[in-house]
Amino acid sequence: MVIFWWIKEICIFADGVQILNFIYASSGEKTGIVKRFEQFENRELETVRQHQIDYPIGDDLAVKTSFSLPLKQWFRLDLSFKGGQVEVSSVGKNLKRQHHQSFMEDFYCDDTAGYFVLGGSGYVNGIEAFFGPVKYYRLNVLETEQISNPLHDKETVEQIERYYKRCMDIQDIVYEYRHTVRKGQLAQRSTCDAFTRGKELREKYHTLFRLLQEMDFSAPGEESDTVLEIGQRIFEKIAKNLSSPDGLSNVGSSVPFLVDSSCCGYHKASYFLAVIFETGLGVSVDHTKGLLYSLVGAQGNERLAVMNLGYKHYQGINNYPLDLELSYAYYSNIAIKTSLDQHTIKGEQAFVETIRLMDDELLKAQTKENGDVFMWLKHEATRGNAAAQQRLAQMLFWGQQGVAKNPEAAIEWYAKGAIETEDPVLIYDYAIVLFKGQGVKKNTKLALELMKKAAAKGLPQAVNGLGWYYHNFRRDYRKAAKHWLIAEELGNPDASYNLGVLYLDGIYPGVPGRNQTVAAQYFYKAAQGGHIEGTLRCSLYYITGNMEEFPRDPEKAVMHEALLYYVLAAETGIEVSQSNLAHICEERPDLARKYLAIDCVWRYYNFSVSQINAPSFVYLKMGDFYYYGYQNQSKDLELSVRMYAQAALEGDSQGFFNLALLIEEGNSIPSYILDHLEIDQALHSGNTSLLQELYYRCWNHSNQESVSPCSLALLYFYMRVFWNNILQSTLIYFMGTFLLSILVAFAVHYFQTLSGKYLS
């Protein structure tokens, strides 16, 4: 009995697992936080756990409560499983139980089997909500008052509540204002005076009323989209103002309007606000508000806000805890959308181009419909040049190189090239747009003829396209598999992925049932070829650890997601994406070699240093590459010095330290660089005085409250100078000569005595 109660007391304190420490903004889609639980290392605790799962195995279980949960309020949801009983309770902020319901079911629950998901998964959508913190007691069912799981940071929690309370007012005002104007009962300028709300509300939101008065509500629109539409119009107006020559000086006064836009559900405004408060753009830095609008934007499915949170939790920076599972939840959300985007042509979606303002040749290649480059391509395309036709069609279809997007004109060039030049790529491209009806009326019959023609010419993607046709249009899985096997042998990653889908869905010809193992192998092969959906599948396997060939590895899962999205973002010219991608490639060279055909580290660090906002560590990294020589790149001491100097100018102590080390090793620093560092010209010629200045600046820019390499280097420098001065003094020279003479005399006397003994 003593042992039993001892074990029970330990269980209460030892089995609490903190699944989530921070707030998770769930947008209600099929992504969420994935956790796995291992057996207890303590034998007694594991014995208790094993005993509690000894129940009959039944079917999958789902229960539905008869009570509803409150909207836009914080509450605690308690779920317990004990024996055959499931209990669900909602608890208010005052820790008083609000609702409770029990279910008697015959079920089996082993928390080490399978995996736990908070939010959505591939099988079910999540909930539009903020989760966290979340705690799981593995061995005990506690009473309400025994559970300790306080809300996250009180200030953030209250900010979120205040935000939604304000937004309810904003949405009501916007809806009623537009409804009143639309009915034509009042002139727009007098609507404020006759508004059904009180004077106090009009004064509280006077900036919103002023903006609404300036807007035109005469255009027809769906009533259901009223609030969101107004939010978009508010944002576009403010964004246009901020983009004006003096716009950034008005950021502070624009914040209330951006808040109104955010409250209307237009969450580009939410992300704008997050960046403004995180960076102090025109306002004082406020990390709590930055977090608030990041969470609100992510919960509202704004992609940049989701990406921002995924990055912060992956790196564990800016007071965001390092949490790979939470990071994966955000990254996978973005990655799934990115995967869908490539198959959907809509609105202003365009192909991403890298345009650097420092690259004169690239800038010259930018054109217009009447520009020299475009006209030359058009001339060559008219003459039947297949490469020119293909490039012209791409430019028009996606709106590239400064050319306005014109899918209809692009289709004409695809058609002309397919018919006249017999080029397999043009034939394939034209077949795809005919199959999908993108910019042209669908024509499956002609599309199939063209696809067969391109496949007969040996084009791998066309062979894969035939498999896609038989799978989607004819449901002939045997012919689909036949073409996909051929295409895979030709090196087409799409075909590998499609074969995996056949095995996963259990429809591979001649193979009974689903085979997830073989499917996973094909997905992995597709991922190695850079296939986006294949990469997503592999990431899911790594995060769940549910496949034997893919042991659970949250870091690897996040790396796959991060690599995928940062490649897309880095090529847009976003510096932070470039330096982050270079860092990922450096940390995980296996991933870089597997998925990228370029030297990822060199390319993106190089891109980053060409930006005006590059961080100092990137200059240091490139300085090291030029100094030591990076792989196939030759050494370049002068470029190395320039990189270290730029890091020093950014206030990085390591930059000064590295420059000093170069002098210590006998290298010289060009005068123009020393001038750039604003070092007195009188110090340029003397190494000692120059070293003193560099080490002093190094120490001055480092943390002076603790011992740093710079402080040690400066101390060692002063000691060497002091010792050298001593050795060079006349007194020490005389004393040293005198002591040396005595030593020589003593040695001569000693050897004379020693030789006398041997002679005697």
Side-chain angles (χ1 to χ4, degrees):
M1 287 295 293
V2 171
I3 294 174
F4 173 77
W5 285 108
W6 176 71
I7 291 174
K8 186 174 181 181
E9 289 297 315
I10 287 179
C11 290
I12 292 176
F13 293 105
D15 74 324
V17 179
Q18 198 73 41
I19 293 178
L20 180 63
N21 285 307
F22 206 68
I23 298 175
Y24 166 45
S26 170
S27 57
E29 296 173 285
K30 291 188 174 181
T31 56
I33 300 169
V34 180
K35 293 279 186 178
R36 284 196 72 118
F37 303 107
E38 304 297 331
Q39 295 182 357
F40 285 105
E41 293 184 4
N42 181 284
R43 188 173 59 184
E44 288 80 7
L45 294 179
E46 180 58 23
T47 301
V48 175
R49 192 192 70 82
Q50 292 282 354
H51 175 73
Q52 292 185 353
I53 64 174
D54 190 19
Y55 288 99
I57 301 177
D59 295 329
D60 295 339
L61 173 68
V63 297
K64 183 178 180 181
T65 64
S66 58
F67 62 84
S68 300
L69 299 173
L71 290 175
K72 298 179 176 65
Q73 293 180 30
W74 287 103
F75 66 92
R76 195 179 80 201
L77 191 66
D78 295 346
L79 306 174
S80 67
F81 304 89
K82 187 176 183 180
Q85 184 167 310
V86 181
E87 293 195 358
V88 185
S89 302
S90 68
V91 181
K93 285 177 67 177
N94 59 1
L95 300 184
K96 300 295 183 183
R97 182 185 288 181
Q98 297 173 333
H99 302 283
H100 176 77
Q101 191 169 349
S102 297
F103 303 88
M104 291 302 297
E105 299 286 347
D106 191 21
F107 69 94
Y108 168 86
C109 180
D110 179 358
D111 64 7
T112 63
Y115 52 92
F116 174 90
V117 180
L118 178 67
S121 69
Y123 305 99
V124 64
N125 283 347
I127 303 169
E128 292 182 39
F130 296 108
F131 289 95
V134 180
K135 183 179 280 188
Y136 170 43
Y137 293 92
R138 299 184 66 183
L139 303 178
N140 294 276
V141 175
L142 304 182
E143 297 297 328
T144 298
E145 59 274 7
Q146 291 179 293
I147 297 173
S148 175
N149 191 36
L151 284 165
H152 181 68
D153 173 57
K154 184 179 178 182
E155 187 179 358
T156 303
V157 166
E158 291 177 349
Q159 289 254 23
I160 291 174
E161 285 184 328
R162 286 198 295 270
Y163 169 82
Y164 282 106
K165 186 177 180 181
R166 175 191 172 99
C167 288
M168 288 175 68
D169 286 342
I170 297 293
Q171 291 177 15
D172 287 347
I173 290 170
V174 168
Y175 182 84
E176 190 170 343
Y177 188 97
R178 176 166 174 170
H179 180 70
T180 304
V181 173
R182 281 289 182 86
K183 286 174 67 176
Q185 295 176 348
L186 300 161
Q188 188 164 339
R189 293 192 177 278
S190 63
T191 303
C192 286
D193 298 328
F195 197 66
T196 57
R197 302 306 185 93
K199 180 180 178 182
E200 182 181 343
L201 197 63
R202 292 201 305 270
E203 290 178 352
K204 183 178 179 180
Y205 299 110
H206 65 278
T207 55
L208 174 61
F209 278 105
R210 189 172 72 247
L211 189 61
L212 289 172
Q213 283 183 304
E214 297 172 0
M215 299 178 77
D216 178 15
F217 290 99
S218 59
E222 295 293 332
E223 286 296 319
S224 59
D225 293 335
T226 296
V227 176
L228 179 60
E229 179 192 335
I230 296 299
Q232 181 176 353
R233 289 168 67 180
I234 293 172
F235 173 80
E236 289 172 351
K237 181 179 178 65
I238 298 304
K240 184 178 180 180
N241 291 340
L242 292 176
S243 301
S244 64
D246 298 321
L248 290 181
S249 60
N250 301 318
V251 171
S253 59
S254 300
V255 166
F257 298 112
L258 290 171
V259 172
D260 294 339
S261 174
S262 170
C263 279
C264 289
Y266 197 70
H267 290 294
K268 281 187 178 180
S270 303
Y271 184 66
F272 261 54
L273 288 164
V275 173
I276 286 169
F277 286 114
E278 284 279 1
T279 61
L281 180 62
V283 299
S284 299
V285 172
D286 190 329
H287 293 299
T288 303
K289 285 186 178 178
L291 171 60
L292 164 68
Y293 290 110
S294 288
L295 291 170
V296 167
Q299 200 276 322
N301 224 355
E302 167 55 34
R303 298 189 185 194
L304 290 176
V306 175
M307 184 65 185
N308 173 46
L309 289 174
Y311 168 63
K312 297 290 177 57
H313 285 297
Y314 174 66
Q315 295 287 350
I317 57 176
N318 292 6
N319 298 318
Y320 290 76
L322 177 66
D323 189 327
L324 295 179
E325 286 92 354
L326 182 52
S327 177
Y328 173 84
Y330 290 124
Y331 275 140
S332 58
N333 183 323
I334 287 294
I336 290 170
K337 290 182 175 62
T338 302
S339 171
L340 296 174
D341 285 346
Q342 65 174 343
H343 303 298
T344 307
I345 313 301
K346 60 181 181 181
E348 298 177 355
Q349 181 180 338
F351 187 86
V352 173
E353 296 178 275
T354 304
I355 301 173
R356 297 188 175 280
L357 300 180
M358 298 167 65
D359 191 333
D360 292 334
E361 293 301 317
L362 190 59
L363 288 174
K364 289 176 183 177
Q366 301 306 301
T367 185
K368 294 285 183 182
E369 288 76 355
N370 57 355
D372 293 342
V373 174
F374 186 86
M375 296 303 292
W376 179 82
L377 280 172
K378 192 173 182 179
H379 172 71
E380 288 296 304
T382 305
R383 293 179 56 196
N385 185 317
Q389 290 172 340
Q390 186 180 0
R391 184 71 194 114
L392 200 63
Q394 287 177 345
M395 289 167 66
L396 289 165
F397 194 80
W398 291 103
Q400 294 178 336
Q401 282 185 240
V403 175
K405 192 174 179 180
N406 190 341
E408 291 75 17
I411 301 303
E412 292 180 10
W413 286 109
Y414 278 133
K416 183 178 177 65
I419 295 169
E420 293 182 1
T421 67
E422 296 287 311
D423 181 75
V425 175
L426 280 168
I427 295 171
Y428 169 78
D429 287 342
Y430 187 42
I432 288 294
V433 295
L434 287 172
F435 268 129
K436 295 186 176 183
Q438 295 174 334
V440 67
K441 186 178 179 181
K442 281 187 179 182
N443 189 333
T444 306
K445 183 179 179 181
L446 177 58
L448 179 60
E449 292 177 7
L450 292 170
M451 191 67 76
K452 287 181 176 179
K453 193 173 183 179
K457 292 176 177 290
L459 190 69
Q461 54 264 45
V463 179
N464 174 73
L466 285 175
W468 173 78
Y469 167 78
Y470 286 114
H471 178 273
N472 288 280
F473 289 85
R474 303 288 292 273
R475 296 293 186 266
D476 189 335
Y477 303 128
R478 188 172 298 279
K479 283 189 175 181
K482 175 185 174 183
H483 284 93
W484 284 338
L485 286 169
I486 295 172
E488 192 201 26
E489 288 181 6
L490 295 172
N492 185 264
D494 287 321
S496 301
Y497 179 82
N498 293 333
L499 289 168
V501 171
L502 289 182
Y503 278 104
L504 187 66
D505 292 343
I507 55 176
Y508 192 89
V511 178
R514 304 173 68 199
N515 191 325
Q516 291 196 57
T517 302
V518 176
Q521 292 170 355
Y522 277 114
F523 292 146
Y524 185 73
K525 189 171 183 179
Q528 286 182 308
H531 194 275
I532 293 179
E533 285 94 337
T535 303
L536 294 177
R537 293 277 186 180
C538 291
S539 296
L540 182 61
Y541 293 145
Y542 281 123
I543 198 70
T544 61
N546 227 30
M547 297 288 293
E548 195 172 323
E549 295 81 3
F550 295 84
R552 177 169 160 80
D553 189 341
E555 183 180 4
K556 187 176 289 187
V558 176
M559 280 289 191
H560 277 74
E561 304 288 357
L563 185 70
L564 167 68
Y565 197 84
Y566 277 131
V567 167
L568 299 174
E571 289 296 326
T572 67
I574 299 174
E575 188 286 321
V576 70
S577 297
Q578 294 165 346
S579 55
N580 288 341
L581 180 57
H583 174 71
I584 289 173
C585 293
E586 193 172 20
E587 291 293 310
R588 295 298 299 271
D590 53 326
L591 282 179
R593 286 193 298 268
K594 187 180 296 181
Y595 298 116
L596 297 171
I598 55 173
D599 188 337
C600 175
V601 177
W602 178 265
R603 175 185 175 89
Y604 289 109
Y605 274 139
N606 227 339
F607 278 3
S608 181
V609 295
S610 67
Q611 305 265 26
I612 60 172
N613 59 336
S616 60
F617 80 87
V618 174
Y619 292 114
L620 293 172
K621 185 69 68 173
M622 289 303 297
D624 290 343
F625 287 165
Y626 284 124
Y627 180 76
Y628 294 106
Y630 179 76
Q631 295 187 3
N632 297 327
Q633 307 295 330
S634 58
K635 296 181 181 181
D636 192 321
L637 184 60
E638 185 171 349
L639 279 176
S640 176
V641 170
R642 287 171 60 182
M643 292 293 135
Y644 292 148
Q646 190 60 45
L649 285 171
E650 295 292 327
D652 196 308
S653 59
Q654 187 69 44
F656 291 106
F657 187 85
N658 290 357
L659 290 172
L661 285 182
L662 289 175
I663 295 174
E664 296 271 24
E665 293 173 359
N667 299 301
S668 60
I669 298 178
S671 291
Y672 75 90
I673 291 180
L674 296 176
D675 289 337
H676 201 49
L677 291 169
E678 296 183 347
I679 293 177
D680 191 341
Q681 288 194 351
L683 305 178
H684 290 195
S685 57
N687 280 358
T688 302
S689 54
L690 186 54
L691 281 171
Q692 180 178 349
E693 178 68 15
L694 290 172
Y695 280 135
Y696 176 79
R697 291 194 183 189
C698 175
W699 170 78
N700 197 39
H701 284 85
S702 60
N703 184 1
Q704 298 177 16
E705 296 179 0
S706 61
V707 177
S708 65
C710 291
S711 59
L712 292 174
L714 185 61
L715 177 62
Y716 180 62
F717 172 80
Y718 283 134
M719 288 177 64
R720 282 187 299 161
V721 171
F722 177 74
W723 181 249
N724 288 336
N725 289 338
I726 290 176
L727 290 178
Q728 291 173 6
S729 69
T730 307
L731 177 61
I732 293 301
Y733 179 81
F734 173 78
M735 291 181 63
T737 306
F738 177 75
L739 289 173
L740 183 62
S741 302
I742 293 175
L743 183 62
V744 172
F746 176 80
V748 171
H749 176 72
Y750 175 79
F751 282 110
Q752 286 178 344
T753 305
L754 191 65
S755 60
K757 286 182 179 180
Y758 281 108
L759 289 173
S760 62

